[in-house]
Short mmCIF file of all heavy atoms in Angstrom, two decimals:
data_model
loop_
_atom_site.label_atom_id
_atom_site.label_comp_id
_atom_site.label_asym_id
_atom_site.label_seq_id
_atom_site.Cartn_x
_atom_site.Cartn_y
_atom_site.Cartn_z
N LEU A 1 53.01 136.59 86.54
CA LEU A 1 54.32 135.93 86.77
C LEU A 1 54.92 136.41 88.07
O LEU A 1 55.43 135.62 88.82
CB LEU A 1 55.27 136.25 85.61
CG LEU A 1 54.93 135.62 84.26
CD1 LEU A 1 55.82 136.19 83.16
CD2 LEU A 1 55.07 134.14 84.32
N ASN A 2 54.85 137.73 88.33
CA ASN A 2 55.33 138.29 89.56
C ASN A 2 54.59 137.64 90.84
O ASN A 2 55.24 137.39 91.86
CB ASN A 2 55.24 139.76 89.64
CG ASN A 2 56.21 140.47 88.75
OD1 ASN A 2 55.76 141.07 87.73
ND2 ASN A 2 57.46 140.49 89.00
N VAL A 3 53.33 137.41 90.62
CA VAL A 3 52.51 136.82 91.73
C VAL A 3 52.93 135.40 91.90
O VAL A 3 53.19 134.92 93.01
CB VAL A 3 51.00 136.92 91.43
CG1 VAL A 3 50.19 136.20 92.49
CG2 VAL A 3 50.57 138.41 91.36
N LEU A 4 53.10 134.68 90.80
CA LEU A 4 53.44 133.23 90.90
C LEU A 4 54.78 133.04 91.55
O LEU A 4 54.96 132.14 92.40
CB LEU A 4 53.46 132.62 89.45
CG LEU A 4 53.54 131.10 89.42
CD1 LEU A 4 52.40 130.43 90.06
CD2 LEU A 4 53.69 130.67 87.94
N ILE A 5 55.76 133.89 91.30
CA ILE A 5 57.07 133.66 91.89
C ILE A 5 57.19 134.28 93.26
O ILE A 5 58.15 134.09 94.01
CB ILE A 5 58.24 134.26 91.03
CG1 ILE A 5 58.12 135.76 90.81
CG2 ILE A 5 58.31 133.48 89.71
CD1 ILE A 5 59.31 136.34 90.08
N GLY A 6 56.17 135.04 93.69
CA GLY A 6 56.09 135.52 95.11
C GLY A 6 56.56 136.93 95.33
O GLY A 6 56.57 137.37 96.50
N ASP A 7 56.83 137.70 94.27
CA ASP A 7 57.20 139.09 94.50
C ASP A 7 55.96 139.95 94.73
O ASP A 7 56.06 141.09 95.30
CB ASP A 7 57.87 139.65 93.23
CG ASP A 7 59.27 139.15 93.00
OD1 ASP A 7 59.96 138.83 93.98
OD2 ASP A 7 59.65 139.03 91.84
N MET A 8 54.80 139.51 94.24
CA MET A 8 53.56 140.24 94.38
C MET A 8 52.46 139.28 94.90
O MET A 8 52.66 138.05 94.93
CB MET A 8 53.13 140.86 93.05
CG MET A 8 54.09 141.97 92.57
SD MET A 8 53.59 142.64 90.94
CE MET A 8 51.96 143.27 91.30
N SER A 9 51.36 139.87 95.21
CA SER A 9 50.19 139.13 95.62
C SER A 9 49.07 139.55 94.69
O SER A 9 49.16 140.53 93.93
CB SER A 9 49.78 139.48 97.07
OG SER A 9 48.68 138.75 97.49
N VAL A 10 47.98 138.80 94.62
CA VAL A 10 46.81 139.23 93.81
C VAL A 10 46.27 140.49 94.28
O VAL A 10 46.00 141.46 93.55
CB VAL A 10 45.76 138.09 93.67
CG1 VAL A 10 44.53 138.57 92.93
CG2 VAL A 10 46.31 136.86 92.99
N VAL A 11 46.07 140.55 95.65
CA VAL A 11 45.51 141.81 96.28
C VAL A 11 46.57 142.41 97.21
O VAL A 11 47.16 141.72 98.03
CB VAL A 11 44.26 141.47 97.03
CG1 VAL A 11 43.70 142.75 97.71
CG2 VAL A 11 43.21 140.83 96.09
N GLY A 12 46.76 143.70 97.07
CA GLY A 12 47.70 144.47 97.88
C GLY A 12 47.88 145.82 97.25
O GLY A 12 47.46 146.04 96.11
N PRO A 13 48.63 146.67 97.98
CA PRO A 13 48.86 147.99 97.34
C PRO A 13 49.67 147.83 96.04
O PRO A 13 50.58 147.03 95.93
CB PRO A 13 49.83 148.68 98.40
CG PRO A 13 49.65 147.89 99.63
CD PRO A 13 49.26 146.50 99.25
N ARG A 14 49.32 148.62 95.05
CA ARG A 14 50.00 148.56 93.77
C ARG A 14 51.47 148.97 93.98
O ARG A 14 51.73 149.93 94.74
CB ARG A 14 49.37 149.53 92.75
CG ARG A 14 48.05 149.08 92.27
CD ARG A 14 48.13 147.83 91.37
NE ARG A 14 48.93 148.10 90.19
CZ ARG A 14 49.66 147.16 89.58
NH1 ARG A 14 49.69 145.95 90.06
NH2 ARG A 14 50.33 147.46 88.55
N PRO A 15 52.41 148.21 93.39
CA PRO A 15 53.78 148.56 93.58
C PRO A 15 54.15 149.90 92.92
O PRO A 15 53.73 150.17 91.78
CB PRO A 15 54.53 147.43 92.90
CG PRO A 15 53.56 146.87 91.90
CD PRO A 15 52.14 147.15 92.50
N ASP A 16 54.98 150.70 93.53
CA ASP A 16 55.35 151.96 93.02
C ASP A 16 56.84 152.06 92.80
O ASP A 16 57.55 151.17 93.32
CB ASP A 16 54.86 153.07 94.02
CG ASP A 16 54.35 154.31 93.28
OD1 ASP A 16 54.88 154.66 92.21
OD2 ASP A 16 53.46 155.00 93.81
N ILE A 17 57.25 153.05 92.14
CA ILE A 17 58.70 153.34 92.00
C ILE A 17 59.24 153.88 93.29
O ILE A 17 58.50 154.24 94.16
CB ILE A 17 58.95 154.31 90.80
CG1 ILE A 17 58.25 155.68 91.06
CG2 ILE A 17 58.52 153.74 89.47
CD1 ILE A 17 58.54 156.78 90.05
N GLN A 18 60.54 153.88 93.35
CA GLN A 18 61.19 154.42 94.58
C GLN A 18 60.84 155.91 94.74
O GLN A 18 60.57 156.66 93.76
CB GLN A 18 62.73 154.32 94.41
CG GLN A 18 63.19 152.87 94.52
CD GLN A 18 64.67 152.73 94.37
OE1 GLN A 18 65.22 152.91 93.30
NE2 GLN A 18 65.37 152.50 95.50
N GLY A 19 60.77 156.30 96.01
CA GLY A 19 60.40 157.71 96.32
C GLY A 19 59.02 157.91 96.79
O GLY A 19 58.62 159.04 97.06
N TYR A 20 58.28 156.83 96.92
CA TYR A 20 56.93 156.96 97.42
C TYR A 20 56.73 156.08 98.67
O TYR A 20 56.98 156.55 99.77
CB TYR A 20 55.87 156.63 96.37
CG TYR A 20 55.80 157.78 95.39
CD1 TYR A 20 56.54 157.79 94.19
CD2 TYR A 20 54.92 158.84 95.60
CE1 TYR A 20 56.45 158.86 93.30
CE2 TYR A 20 54.91 159.91 94.71
CZ TYR A 20 55.65 159.88 93.53
OH TYR A 20 55.56 160.95 92.72
N TYR A 21 56.37 154.83 98.53
CA TYR A 21 56.11 154.02 99.70
C TYR A 21 57.38 153.82 100.56
O TYR A 21 57.28 153.70 101.73
CB TYR A 21 55.49 152.67 99.35
CG TYR A 21 54.10 152.77 98.84
CD1 TYR A 21 53.72 152.50 97.55
CD2 TYR A 21 53.08 153.08 99.76
CE1 TYR A 21 52.45 152.63 97.11
CE2 TYR A 21 51.74 153.21 99.38
CZ TYR A 21 51.42 152.96 97.98
OH TYR A 21 50.14 153.09 97.58
N ASP A 22 58.51 153.72 99.86
CA ASP A 22 59.73 153.47 100.61
C ASP A 22 60.23 154.63 101.46
O ASP A 22 61.06 154.45 102.30
CB ASP A 22 60.86 153.04 99.65
CG ASP A 22 61.11 154.04 98.53
OD1 ASP A 22 60.17 154.69 98.04
OD2 ASP A 22 62.25 154.15 98.13
N VAL A 23 59.66 155.79 101.31
CA VAL A 23 60.04 156.97 102.08
C VAL A 23 58.97 157.33 103.15
O VAL A 23 59.20 158.32 103.82
CB VAL A 23 60.44 158.17 101.26
CG1 VAL A 23 61.64 157.84 100.39
CG2 VAL A 23 59.29 158.65 100.44
N LEU A 24 57.93 156.56 103.26
CA LEU A 24 56.91 156.81 104.28
C LEU A 24 57.52 156.68 105.62
O LEU A 24 58.39 155.86 105.90
CB LEU A 24 55.76 155.80 104.09
CG LEU A 24 54.87 156.06 102.86
CD1 LEU A 24 53.85 154.93 102.82
CD2 LEU A 24 54.20 157.44 102.90
N GLN A 25 57.01 157.40 106.59
CA GLN A 25 57.45 157.35 107.97
C GLN A 25 56.31 157.01 108.86
O GLN A 25 55.15 157.28 108.53
CB GLN A 25 58.10 158.68 108.39
CG GLN A 25 59.31 159.08 107.57
CD GLN A 25 60.50 158.14 107.79
OE1 GLN A 25 60.82 157.80 108.95
NE2 GLN A 25 61.16 157.77 106.68
N GLY A 26 56.62 156.55 110.06
CA GLY A 26 55.58 156.31 111.07
C GLY A 26 54.61 155.21 110.68
O GLY A 26 54.98 154.24 109.98
N GLU A 27 53.35 155.38 111.12
CA GLU A 27 52.34 154.35 110.86
C GLU A 27 52.14 153.99 109.39
O GLU A 27 52.02 152.79 109.07
CB GLU A 27 51.04 154.82 111.50
CG GLU A 27 49.92 153.79 111.33
CD GLU A 27 48.57 154.35 111.91
OE1 GLU A 27 48.34 155.55 112.00
OE2 GLU A 27 47.70 153.46 112.20
N PRO A 28 52.12 154.98 108.50
CA PRO A 28 51.96 154.62 107.09
C PRO A 28 53.01 153.66 106.52
O PRO A 28 52.75 152.94 105.59
CB PRO A 28 52.05 155.93 106.30
CG PRO A 28 51.54 156.92 107.38
CD PRO A 28 52.08 156.44 108.63
N ARG A 29 54.10 153.60 107.16
CA ARG A 29 55.24 152.70 106.72
C ARG A 29 54.79 151.19 106.89
O ARG A 29 55.36 150.32 106.24
CB ARG A 29 56.49 152.97 107.47
CG ARG A 29 57.70 152.34 106.80
CD ARG A 29 58.99 153.03 107.16
NE ARG A 29 60.14 152.31 106.58
CZ ARG A 29 60.58 152.51 105.39
NH1 ARG A 29 60.08 153.43 104.57
NH2 ARG A 29 61.63 151.81 104.95
N ASN A 30 53.75 150.94 107.63
CA ASN A 30 53.24 149.59 107.80
C ASN A 30 52.78 149.00 106.46
O ASN A 30 52.79 147.81 106.28
CB ASN A 30 52.02 149.52 108.80
CG ASN A 30 52.47 149.62 110.21
OD1 ASN A 30 53.56 149.11 110.58
ND2 ASN A 30 51.71 150.25 111.02
N ILE A 31 52.47 149.88 105.51
CA ILE A 31 52.09 149.39 104.19
C ILE A 31 53.18 148.50 103.59
O ILE A 31 52.93 147.55 102.79
CB ILE A 31 51.77 150.61 103.27
CG1 ILE A 31 50.45 151.32 103.75
CG2 ILE A 31 51.59 150.15 101.79
CD1 ILE A 31 50.21 152.66 103.16
N LEU A 32 54.50 148.84 103.87
CA LEU A 32 55.55 148.05 103.31
C LEU A 32 55.60 146.60 103.88
O LEU A 32 56.35 145.77 103.35
CB LEU A 32 56.90 148.71 103.60
CG LEU A 32 57.14 150.01 102.75
CD1 LEU A 32 58.48 150.67 103.16
CD2 LEU A 32 57.15 149.65 101.27
N ASN A 33 54.81 146.32 104.89
CA ASN A 33 54.73 145.00 105.46
C ASN A 33 53.93 144.08 104.49
O ASN A 33 53.93 142.84 104.69
CB ASN A 33 54.20 144.94 106.87
CG ASN A 33 55.13 145.54 107.82
OD1 ASN A 33 56.35 145.36 107.76
ND2 ASN A 33 54.58 146.27 108.83
N LEU A 34 53.17 144.64 103.62
CA LEU A 34 52.36 143.92 102.63
C LEU A 34 53.06 143.71 101.34
O LEU A 34 53.90 144.54 100.94
CB LEU A 34 51.13 144.75 102.39
CG LEU A 34 50.19 145.13 103.50
CD1 LEU A 34 49.17 146.12 103.10
CD2 LEU A 34 49.50 143.90 104.05
N LYS A 35 52.76 142.57 100.72
CA LYS A 35 53.27 142.38 99.37
C LYS A 35 52.47 143.31 98.45
O LYS A 35 51.24 143.45 98.61
CB LYS A 35 53.07 140.93 98.91
CG LYS A 35 54.13 139.98 99.37
CD LYS A 35 53.99 138.65 98.70
CE LYS A 35 55.07 137.73 99.28
NZ LYS A 35 54.98 136.38 98.67
N PRO A 36 53.13 143.88 97.43
CA PRO A 36 52.34 144.68 96.51
C PRO A 36 51.44 143.75 95.70
O PRO A 36 51.63 142.63 95.58
CB PRO A 36 53.43 145.34 95.61
CG PRO A 36 54.64 144.48 95.85
CD PRO A 36 54.53 143.87 97.16
N GLY A 37 50.34 144.33 95.20
CA GLY A 37 49.28 143.52 94.50
C GLY A 37 48.98 143.97 93.16
O GLY A 37 49.32 145.05 92.70
N LEU A 38 48.25 143.01 92.42
CA LEU A 38 47.77 143.37 91.10
C LEU A 38 46.61 144.32 91.19
O LEU A 38 46.35 145.14 90.39
CB LEU A 38 47.21 142.10 90.42
CG LEU A 38 48.23 141.03 90.03
CD1 LEU A 38 47.52 139.84 89.49
CD2 LEU A 38 49.23 141.64 88.93
N THR A 39 45.87 144.20 92.33
CA THR A 39 44.66 145.07 92.47
C THR A 39 44.48 145.41 93.98
O THR A 39 45.06 144.68 94.83
CB THR A 39 43.42 144.35 91.97
OG1 THR A 39 42.29 145.27 91.96
CG2 THR A 39 43.03 143.12 92.71
N SER A 40 43.74 146.42 94.18
CA SER A 40 43.40 146.91 95.56
C SER A 40 42.20 147.79 95.51
O SER A 40 41.75 148.18 94.41
CB SER A 40 44.63 147.67 96.13
OG SER A 40 44.83 148.91 95.44
N GLU A 41 41.73 148.17 96.67
CA GLU A 41 40.65 149.19 96.69
C GLU A 41 41.08 150.47 96.02
O GLU A 41 40.34 151.12 95.29
CB GLU A 41 40.20 149.44 98.10
CG GLU A 41 39.43 148.29 98.78
CD GLU A 41 38.01 148.19 98.32
OE1 GLU A 41 37.47 149.14 97.67
OE2 GLU A 41 37.36 147.18 98.72
N ALA A 42 42.35 150.87 96.25
CA ALA A 42 42.87 152.09 95.68
C ALA A 42 42.97 152.01 94.20
O ALA A 42 42.70 152.98 93.48
CB ALA A 42 44.24 152.40 96.26
N SER A 43 43.38 150.86 93.67
CA SER A 43 43.51 150.71 92.24
C SER A 43 42.10 150.76 91.58
O SER A 43 41.96 151.18 90.41
CB SER A 43 44.34 149.52 91.80
OG SER A 43 43.71 148.31 92.12
N LEU A 44 41.10 150.22 92.27
CA LEU A 44 39.74 150.27 91.77
C LEU A 44 39.28 151.75 91.74
O LEU A 44 38.69 152.15 90.73
CB LEU A 44 38.81 149.42 92.64
CG LEU A 44 39.00 147.94 92.47
CD1 LEU A 44 38.19 147.17 93.56
CD2 LEU A 44 38.48 147.42 91.13
N LYS A 45 39.55 152.46 92.81
CA LYS A 45 39.13 153.83 92.84
C LYS A 45 39.81 154.66 91.79
O LYS A 45 39.19 155.54 91.14
CB LYS A 45 39.34 154.47 94.22
CG LYS A 45 38.95 155.88 94.36
CD LYS A 45 39.18 156.43 95.75
CE LYS A 45 38.75 157.86 95.82
NZ LYS A 45 38.91 158.42 97.21
N TYR A 46 41.12 154.40 91.59
CA TYR A 46 41.92 155.17 90.61
C TYR A 46 42.16 154.39 89.33
O TYR A 46 43.29 154.52 88.75
CB TYR A 46 43.16 155.67 91.28
CG TYR A 46 42.91 156.67 92.35
CD1 TYR A 46 43.01 156.39 93.73
CD2 TYR A 46 42.43 157.95 92.06
CE1 TYR A 46 42.76 157.34 94.68
CE2 TYR A 46 42.24 158.92 92.98
CZ TYR A 46 42.35 158.62 94.34
OH TYR A 46 42.07 159.51 95.29
N PHE A 47 41.19 153.64 88.88
CA PHE A 47 41.40 152.86 87.62
C PHE A 47 41.71 153.74 86.41
O PHE A 47 42.39 153.30 85.53
CB PHE A 47 40.21 152.01 87.34
CG PHE A 47 39.01 152.77 86.85
CD1 PHE A 47 38.76 152.88 85.50
CD2 PHE A 47 38.08 153.33 87.71
CE1 PHE A 47 37.66 153.59 85.02
CE2 PHE A 47 37.02 154.07 87.25
CZ PHE A 47 36.80 154.20 85.88
N ASN A 48 41.27 154.98 86.47
CA ASN A 48 41.54 155.97 85.39
C ASN A 48 42.56 157.02 85.83
O ASN A 48 42.46 158.14 85.36
CB ASN A 48 40.25 156.58 84.94
CG ASN A 48 39.53 157.38 86.06
OD1 ASN A 48 39.95 157.28 87.17
ND2 ASN A 48 38.58 158.15 85.70
#
C-alpha cells in the first residue's frame, strides 16, 4: 500500500526510524534522495 501511494518503492533502502538515515552527514546523506523500498541488497544480506 505504501508503494502504491508513492511513499515507498519496490526497491530501495529499507525505511528506518528517526535517528539513523536522517542524521547522516556528507556523501551518505545521498541515500535520502531515494525512496525507501520493500527490498534491497542490504535487506537480502540481513534477512535474518
Side-chain angles (χ1 to χ4, degrees):
L1 292 168
N2 289 111
V3 174
L4 190 62
I5 64 174
D7 289 331
M8 292 177 64
S9 183
V10 174
V11 178
R14 289 292 299 148
D16 218 327
I17 59 173
Q18 288 178 288
Y20 285 93
Y21 288 112
D22 56 325
V23 297
L24 290 174
Q25 298 294 316
E27 184 184 20
R29 194 156 176 88
N30 284 326
I31 294 168
L32 287 176
N33 291 323
L34 301 168
K35 278 189 184 178
L38 293 174
T39 188
S40 66
E41 289 282 350
S43 66
L44 288 168
K45 180 176 181 179
Y46 292 107
F47 74 95
N48 62 346

